[in-house]
Amino acid sequence: MSDVTLGLSGLEKTYNRGKPGEVQVLKGIDLEVRRGEIVALVAPSGAGKSTLLHIAGLLDVPDSGEVRIGGAAMNGLSDRRRTRVRRQQVGFVYQFHHLLPEFSALENIVLPQLANGASKPAAEARARELLDSVGVGPRADHRPAALSGGEQQRVAFCRALANAPQLLLADEPTGNLDPATSDVVFGALMALVRGTGMAALIATHNLELAARMDRVVRLEDGQVLHGAP
Ligand code: ADP
């Protein structure tokens, strides 16, 4: 297996191409995230972080350039194959938790595992283990509305990791929390990712959080700049 879990090369993306509102967001992105590495993606709002993460997570396609996950080129895969790679190999966390409101915390983590072919007892055992590891075990049977913002986000992390993906992509995962909660929740995320060998690309505005990751890259004028912010 390749040591480069996520490889992006020459990615370009323009919205409204050829129209009055044309905006060239990505102008040749080259970035590699290796196995076990946690990389901060720092950029001002509107710089194209979400666009980059969506393309890396196979939720959108670039106009040109290549996405490789686990060493395999993703260009030209059928929608079915892309969906399968996304479900099995990529975990996604957003600024807002997007948990299913009518299901408990536990069920929110069980469901993606069932969709991936796990048995119910195995899925529940893994969900409990993940919730325990981020300190939300005692709230497993509560619905999202009964949880605090920090708890909701920790459940969302567990859901993203439910199928043991090799790549975690996160878009301002603590951006909606107050600074103290953000600190604790970010620590929980780091602890979850460390030790799994997973690669993570985490977009954040927060330079203190960025400094706690292994490496910082900046997105500026449609390109990735490597080095300290
Ligand atoms: P960030 O996540 O860094 O805030 P985005 O990737 O969301 O940035 O957006 C980058 C730029 O592309 C912004 O100027 C935004 O308005 C524009 N944009 C994003 N999505 C679309 C879209 N679907 N259609 C047109 N413009 C878009």
Side-chain angles (χ1 to χ4, degrees), residues 15-16 23 25 44-52 171:
Y15 290 113
N16 300 321
V23 43
V25 182
S45 184
K49 294 186 302 289
S50 304
T51 302
L52 174 58
D171 196 351

